[in-house]
Amino acid sequence: MLHARIAETGGDIAHRNPGPWVPRMLDASPDGRVVIEWRQGERLLVARLRPDGGGASQLALLRTLSSIRTRTLRVPEPVTWLEGSRALVTGPAQGRSCRELDPETDLDAFERIGRALSELHNLDMIAGPARRLLDHLDDLIMPTPRVLAAALPQHARVIGRVLARLERQGWVATPVVSLNRDLRPSNLIDDGVHVTLHDWDHAATGDPAFDVGDFIGHVRRRWPEDGAEAAIEAFRRGYGGPHALWTRVPIYEQVHLLRAACRCFRMQASGWQDELESLLDRLDD
């Protein structure tokens, strides 16, 4: 099935842009998301095959974002949505993946990431439906935390306590801005001047502290503590933001950890048991 979708995507690209196109797999996840680079000489296109529809609205969002000139934030050039193979086709992002950054030498890049995110949050546009904290849990976390607790009764107390804490949050008057909601470093490409954010599957609107907490959660998990704290400080310099926002960030870091734990349990990739234990230990801190 996947091979047929890839072949169909290549056929559609060749029909629109005649000539031989050579594919190269960039990424694939067990939930059916596949990223393929297509090359024709010096020309590159990137096709993101989705397990479901929705690409037409994401293409429209990318067109809107690409029409707005910001100092640092960039998005991939939107090309087309291929309904048959459920593939979103864009231009490539220039630079290096931010998962390759070294906090000892690349603090300027973390500052650029903060600046790019601040620019997104200050755009006068709507990136999707308005979502509150518990809406994010419903939208993004699979399986649900209660399913995870039932499957891992030894961790049910911790999961239950975190859920109760989230459910008690009663922020009504938080700002509502455009959110990306998937700020893993591999989704960010830095070229030394701009930061390209290339995955918008989960775009919505809501509290800007969600995106801030999500990125910080990824940083704490990816780099050793000293380097992570230096990277977070550089990111905060770039982002700025009022004190009230930063007081809300820790709760969204917990949302990040809960989301990561449920995803780890769902995917069950190599070494998932140790990773899951580490995530749940962090939740218990």
Side-chain angles (χ1 to χ4, degrees):
M1 184 66 168
L2 176 59
H3 290 297
R5 288 179 63 199
I6 293 173
E8 183 176 355
T9 301
D12 284 341
I13 289 173
H15 177 73
R16 294 163 185 261
N17 304 271
W21 288 87
V22 179
R24 180 169 71 95
M25 183 84 74
L26 298 181
D27 192 25
S29 64
D31 63 357
R33 298 177 189 276
V34 178
V35 182
I36 300 173
E37 175 190 272
W38 294 86
R39 178 183 290 273
Q40 184 189 83
E42 295 299 313
R43 187 174 185 192
L44 292 176
L45 293 173
V46 176
R48 301 178 186 284
L49 278 65
R50 298 164 54 106
D52 52 15
S57 60
Q58 191 175 153
L59 180 69
L61 173 62
L62 288 177
R63 284 174 173 161
T64 299
L65 288 167
S66 64
S67 71
I68 301 171
R69 236 350 84 167
T70 51
R71 174 184 172 191
T72 309
L73 176 67
R74 294 290 184 271
V75 299
E77 174 195 1
V79 176
T80 190
W81 164 249
L82 303 174
E83 186 66 41
S85 55
R86 302 192 301 280
L88 179 67
V89 182
T90 69
Q94 303 299 325
R96 60 172 173 159
S97 169
C98 290
R99 70 187 301 174
E100 300 170 9
L101 297 178
D102 182 347
E104 291 190 4
T105 58
D106 294 320
L107 292 180
D108 56 337
F110 286 100
E111 190 167 341
R112 276 192 295 277
I113 294 169
R115 192 161 59 243
L117 186 60
S118 177
E119 290 170 0
L120 171 65
H121 290 169
N122 282 284
L123 291 179
D124 185 19
M125 61 162 287
I126 298 298
R131 313 304 285 158
R132 294 296 180 184
L133 190 150
L134 296 181
D135 297 322
H136 296 308
L137 302 188
D138 292 340
D139 291 349
L140 302 172
I141 298 184
M142 293 178 54
T144 69
R146 288 187 171 83
V147 169
L148 182 65
L152 302 170
Q154 69 274 29
H155 295 293
R157 179 186 58 84
V158 171
I159 296 169
R161 189 171 68 244
V162 171
L163 272 180
R165 187 180 306 138
L166 297 179
E167 289 167 352
R168 284 196 303 270
Q169 301 307 313
W171 302 318
V172 175
T174 56
V176 175
V177 304
S178 294
L179 301 177
N180 175 268
R181 299 201 300 176
D182 195 8
L183 285 168
R184 64 189 71 198
S186 58
N187 285 342
L188 297 157
I189 306 296
D190 176 70
D191 68 3
V193 177
H194 307 113
V195 174
T196 300
L197 183 46
H198 62 70
D199 190 330
W200 294 85
D201 281 0
H202 301 299
T205 60
D207 185 352
F210 180 96
D211 275 349
V212 174
D214 186 45
F215 180 71
I216 288 175
H218 280 293
V219 171
R220 292 196 198 282
R221 289 169 53 208
R222 181 160 189 83
W223 287 281
E225 183 175 357
D226 288 348
E229 292 306 315
I232 291 167
E233 183 60 32
F235 167 78
R236 184 167 182 168
R237 283 196 304 273
Y239 184 87
H243 174 73
L245 177 145
W246 289 95
T247 64
R248 300 192 303 273
V249 166
I251 198 73
Y252 288 108
E253 289 188 62
Q254 293 219 307
V255 173
H256 168 90
L257 289 170
L258 195 57
R259 179 184 182 183
C262 290
R263 184 179 190 277
C264 178
F265 181 72
R266 181 176 85 248
M267 297 299 191
Q268 298 195 3
S270 176
W272 70 271
Q273 293 98 332
D274 290 341
E275 181 183 359
L276 184 57
E277 288 290 332
S278 174
L279 290 165
L280 293 171
D281 285 347
R282 287 173 180 258
L283 266 179
D284 199 23
D285 286 346

